[in-house]
C-alpha cells in the first residue's frame, strides 16, 4: 500500500523537467500508454546500446564475461525493488513467460483447484483453462464485492472450503485501474499454507510492491510498462519456501540445473532454476538500468504523482458529456478506462493518435467478466506516469471533449 501522503517527499517542477529531459519523445507526443509500454529514459537506452556495441566489438560470450557485474545488477536491483534477496529473482522474457513458468512448476493433478478472481489478465485465464483442458484441474473464481474488486471474505471462505492447489490474483488488472487487496489475501494464503501467485505486471513500477508484505510464493512482472524498461524482459520472484521444496519448471535446462550423473540432475538452489541458458543480455542490463532509474526517482514519489494525474484525468473525463469512466474499486491505480458515445473502438483511438496522443484499447475478449458486468464491449485505456504533466491531462481531455461533440 502507498504510505501516508504527508510522509511522501515533494515533487518539484524541476524534478518533472529533469524526468522529461530524459524522455525526448514527450516533446512531440503525449504518451498515456504506460500500461502498455512506458517510454524508456535515455540511460536505459544507452545501457543497451553500449552493451550491443560491446558484443559487436569483442563477441557475445566475451561481452557477457566483461559485463558480469552489470548483468548481476539485474538481480540486485530487482531484489531491492520488491524487498527480496537476489537469489530469489529470475530473468524471464515477459510477465506472461514468468507466470506460465511458475504455473508449470506446480505439480497439478486432476481435480486440483486453481482459485482466482474475475478481474485478471487474459493470458492468465487462458493458461488456467488450458490446464483444465489438459490436466483436469478446476478453475474457481471468487466473486466481486459491490464496491468493486474481489470479495476477500468470500475468497477466504473458498480457500478454506476448497483448499486450492494455488491462489492466483492480479494486483492491477490490465483492463481497469482497480487495485486488488493482494496483501490481505496473502495473509490468509500464508495462514492456510497455500501457494500464492501474484501477477504484478501493472503494479511494479507505479506502486510500492513488497513480497514480504504480500506473502506471495511467486510474483511476476514485466520491464516494459511502468518500469520503463525494454520489451522482451520480465522477472519472476520465487520465495524461499518454493526454492527449498521440489518445485521446478516443467522444462528445466542447463542454466537451471546441473547434470549430476547419466540419469540424474539437481536443480539450482536459487531462482535461476526458472531461467534458461540463452539470455538477451542487452535487455538484462537495460532492465536493470530501468529499475535503477525508478528507484532513484522513488517508488513512493512515482505512486504519488501517477495517482494524482490519474485522479485528475478521471475527474475531467466525468465532466465530458457522453463519456463513462469505468474504473471501480476502493483503491485505484494510474490506469483510467472509459467509453464514449457515438464512437467505435479503433476509430476513436486512431483519432486521438492523429492528435499525437498515445492510448490503448481493451475489449470484452480481454475482460470477459469485468466488461460483461459493466455492460461494455470496449474501453479506451489511458495510463499517465510520473513524467507526464497536468498540461497534458488538459490537452487530452480537451481533445476528447471535441471528439465527443463531433
Amino acid at each position: 500500500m502507498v504510505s501516508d501522503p504527508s510522509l511522501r517527499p515533494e515533487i518539484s517542477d524541476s524534478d518533472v523537467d529533469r524526468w522529461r529531459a530524459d524522455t525526448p519523445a514527450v516533446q512531440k507526443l503525449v504518451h498515456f500508454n504506460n500500461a502498455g509500454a512506458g517510454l524508456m529514459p535515455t540511460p536505459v537506452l544507452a545501457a543497451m546500446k553500449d552493451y550491443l556495441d560491446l558484443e559487436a566489438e569483442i563477441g557475445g560470450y566475451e561481452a557477457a564475461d566483461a559485463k558480469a557485474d552489470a548483468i548481476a545488477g539485474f538481480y540486485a536491483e530487482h531484489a531491492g525493488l520488491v524487498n527480496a534477496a537476489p537469489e530469489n529473482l529470475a530473468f524471464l522474457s515477459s510477465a506472461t513467460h514468468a507466470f506460465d513458468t511458475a504455473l508449470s512448476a506446480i505439480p497439478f493433478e486432476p481435480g486440483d483447484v486453481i482459485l482466482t478472481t474475475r478481474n485478471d489478465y487474459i493470458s492468465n485465464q487462458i493458461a488456467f483453462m488450458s490446464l483444465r483442458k489438459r490436466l483436469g484441474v478446476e478453475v474457481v473464481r471468487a466473486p466481486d464485492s459491490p464496491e468493486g474488486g474481489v470479495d476477500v471474505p468470500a475468497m477466504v471462505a473458498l480457500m478454506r472450503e476448497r483448499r486450492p492447489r494455488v491462489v492466483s490474483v492480479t494486483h492491477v488488472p490490465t483492463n481497469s485501474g482497480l487495485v486488488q487487496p493482494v496483501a490481505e489475501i496473502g495473509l490468509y494464503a500464508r495462514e492456510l499454507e497455500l501457494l500464492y501467485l501474484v501477477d504484478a505486471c501493472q503494479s511494479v513500477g507505479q506502486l510500492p510492491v513488497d513480497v514480504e508484505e504480500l506473502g506471495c510464493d511467486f510474483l511476476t512482472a514485466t520491464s516494459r510498462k511502468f518500469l520503463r524498461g525494454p520489451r522482451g524482459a520480465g522477472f519472476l520472484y520465487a520465495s524461499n519456501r518454493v526454492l527449498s521444496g521440489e518445485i521446478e519448471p516443467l522444462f528445466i535446462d542447463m542454466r537451471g540445473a546441473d547434470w549430476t550423473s547419466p540419469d540424474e540432475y539437481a536443480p539450482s538452489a536459487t531462482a535461476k532454476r526458472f531461467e534458461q541458458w540463452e539470455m538477451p543480455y542487452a535487455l538484462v542490463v537495460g532492465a536493470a538500468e530501468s529499475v535503477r532509474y525508478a528507484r532513484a526517482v522513488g517508488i513512493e514519489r512515482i505512486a504519488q504523482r501517477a495517482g494524482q494525474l490519474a485522479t485528475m484525468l478521471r475527474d475531467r473525463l466525468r465532466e465530458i458529456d457522453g463519456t463513462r469512466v469505468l474504473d471501480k474499486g476502493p483503491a485505484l491505480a494510474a490506469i483510467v478506462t472509459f467509453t464514449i458515445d457515438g464512437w467505435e473502438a479503433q476509430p476513436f483511438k486512431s483519432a486521438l493518435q492523429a492528435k499525437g496522443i498515445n492510448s490503448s484499447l481493451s475489449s470484452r475478449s480481454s475482460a470477459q467478466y469485468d466488461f460483461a458486468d459493466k455492460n461494455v464491449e470496449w474501453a479506451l485505456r489511458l495510463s499517465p506516469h510520473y513524467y507526464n504533466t497536468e498540461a497534458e491531462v488538459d490537452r487530452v481531455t480537451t481533445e476528447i471533449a471535441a471528439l465527443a461533440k463531433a
Side-chain angles (χ1 to χ4, degrees), residues 224-376:
R224 76 173 193 270
K225 296 180 183 287
F226 289 94
L227 280 175
R228 304 180 63 193
R231 299 192 72 173
F235 72 90
L236 170 67
Y237 159 80
S239 70
N240 289 333
R241 180 167 76 134
V242 166
L243 297 178
S244 63
E246 297 182 355
I247 295 177
E248 59 186 60
L250 179 60
F251 296 109
I252 190 168
D253 81 351
M254 63 193 227
R255 171 75 167 180
D258 291 326
W259 195 7
T260 54
S261 71
D263 289 316
E264 294 182 351
Y265 70 89
S268 170
T270 75
K272 286 185 173 62
R273 72 175 64 169
F274 297 99
E275 296 182 342
Q276 293 187 327
W277 186 84
E278 181 57 38
M279 297 175 70
Y281 285 112
L283 300 184
V284 174
V285 299
E289 188 61 35
S290 73
V291 175
R292 192 173 292 114
Y293 192 96
R295 294 178 69 197
V297 172
I299 299 299
E300 289 279 2
R301 301 171 86 201
I302 291 172
Q304 175 188 3
R305 180 163 179 82
Q308 288 172 341
L309 291 173
T311 297
M312 179 182 177
L313 181 57
R314 287 190 189 95
D315 290 344
R316 298 287 176 83
L317 287 170
R318 290 188 181 102
E319 296 172 355
I320 300 172
D321 290 340
T323 64
R324 177 186 165 203
V325 175
L326 301 173
D327 305 314
K328 183 181 179 183
L332 297 177
I335 297 177
V336 179
T337 57
F338 70 100
T339 58
I340 184 167
D341 293 342
W343 283 89
E344 295 297 326
Q346 191 58 53
F348 183 61
K349 179 181 182 298
S350 297
L352 282 179
Q353 192 159 4
K355 300 291 186 179
I357 298 167
N358 288 351
S359 64
S360 184
L361 290 171
S362 288
S363 66
R364 183 176 288 206
S365 63
S366 295
Q368 289 284 359
Y369 292 100
D370 185 45
F371 278 15
D373 291 343
K374 293 171 179 175
N375 194 29
V376 295

Side-chain angles (χ1 to χ4, degrees), residues 26-45:
V26 299
Q27 302 304 318
K28 59 183 180 181
L29 56 83
V30 176
H31 189 72
F32 275 16
N33 192 20
N34 294 285
L39 295 174
M40 287 189 293
T42 50
V44 174
L45 186 60

Side-chain angles (χ1 to χ4, degrees), residues 75-381:
Y75 304 95
E77 290 295 335
H78 285 76
L81 179 69
V82 299
N83 188 29
E87 294 77 17
N88 295 94
L89 273 297
F91 174 91
L92 281 300
S93 64
S94 69
T96 299
H97 184 198
F99 192 92
D100 290 347
T101 300
L103 277 182
S104 84
I106 299 171
F108 289 107
E109 296 180 357
D112 281 349
V113 170
I114 297 172
L115 178 59
T116 185
T117 69
R118 293 164 59 86
N119 278 284
D120 199 4
Y121 183 51
I122 174 177
S123 294
N124 300 349
Q125 291 288 316
I126 289 173
F128 299 152
M129 290 184 282
S130 176
L131 286 168
R132 182 177 63 193
K133 180 192 297 186
R134 184 177 295 263
L135 299 178
V137 304
E138 183 181 355
V139 182
V140 176
R141 298 175 181 89
D144 284 342
S145 63
E147 65 268 28
V150 67
D151 184 323
V152 175
M155 189 169 202
V156 173
L158 287 167
M159 289 185 198
R160 297 186 188 280
E161 175 189 350
R162 303 303 306 274
R163 300 297 300 186
R165 192 69 182 83
V166 65
V167 178
S168 177
V169 182
T170 293
H171 196 181
V172 177
T174 190
N175 52 282
S176 79
L178 170 69
V179 181
Q180 295 276 37
V182 287
E184 185 179 358
I185 294 166
L187 288 174
Y188 295 100
R190 183 174 288 179
E191 173 192 320
L192 297 170
E193 298 184 341
L194 300 173
L195 278 176
Y196 185 31
L197 167 57
V198 174
D199 178 344
C201 189
Q202 294 288 9
S203 56
V204 166
Q206 69 151 318
L207 298 174
V209 173
D210 183 327
V211 294
E212 290 299 320
E213 180 186 353
L214 301 189
C216 56
D217 293 289
F218 291 110
L219 182 134
T220 62
T222 188
S223 180
R224 76 173 193 270
K225 296 180 183 287
F226 289 94
L227 280 175
R228 304 180 63 193
R231 299 192 72 173
F235 72 90
L236 170 67
Y237 159 80
S239 70
N240 289 333
R241 180 167 76 134
V242 166
L243 297 178
S244 63
E246 297 182 355
I247 295 177
E248 59 186 60
L250 179 60
F251 296 109
I252 190 168
D253 81 351
M254 63 193 227
R255 171 75 167 180
D258 291 326
W259 195 7
T260 54
S261 71
D263 289 316
E264 294 182 351
Y265 70 89
S268 170
T270 75
K272 286 185 173 62
R273 72 175 64 169
F274 297 99
E275 296 182 342
Q276 293 187 327
W277 186 84
E278 181 57 38
M279 297 175 70
Y281 285 112
L283 300 184
V284 174
V285 299
E289 188 61 35
S290 73
V291 175
R292 192 173 292 114
Y293 192 96
R295 294 178 69 197
V297 172
I299 299 299
E300 289 279 2
R301 301 171 86 201
I302 291 172
Q304 175 188 3
R305 180 163 179 82
Q308 288 172 341
L309 291 173
T311 297
M312 179 182 177
L313 181 57
R314 287 190 189 95
D315 290 344
R316 298 287 176 83
L317 287 170
R318 290 188 181 102
E319 296 172 355
I320 300 172
D321 290 340
T323 64
R324 177 186 165 203
V325 175
L326 301 173
D327 305 314
K328 183 181 179 183
L332 297 177
I335 297 177
V336 179
T337 57
F338 70 100
T339 58
I340 184 167
D341 293 342
W343 283 89
E344 295 297 326
Q346 191 58 53
F348 183 61
K349 179 181 182 298
S350 297
L352 282 179
Q353 192 159 4
K355 300 291 186 179
I357 298 167
N358 288 351
S359 64
S360 184
L361 290 171
S362 288
S363 66
R364 183 176 288 206
S365 63
S366 295
Q368 289 284 359
Y369 292 100
D370 185 45
F371 278 15
D373 291 343
K374 293 171 179 175
N375 194 29
V376 295
E377 294 299 323
W378 65 274
L380 192 87
R381 186 181 70 182

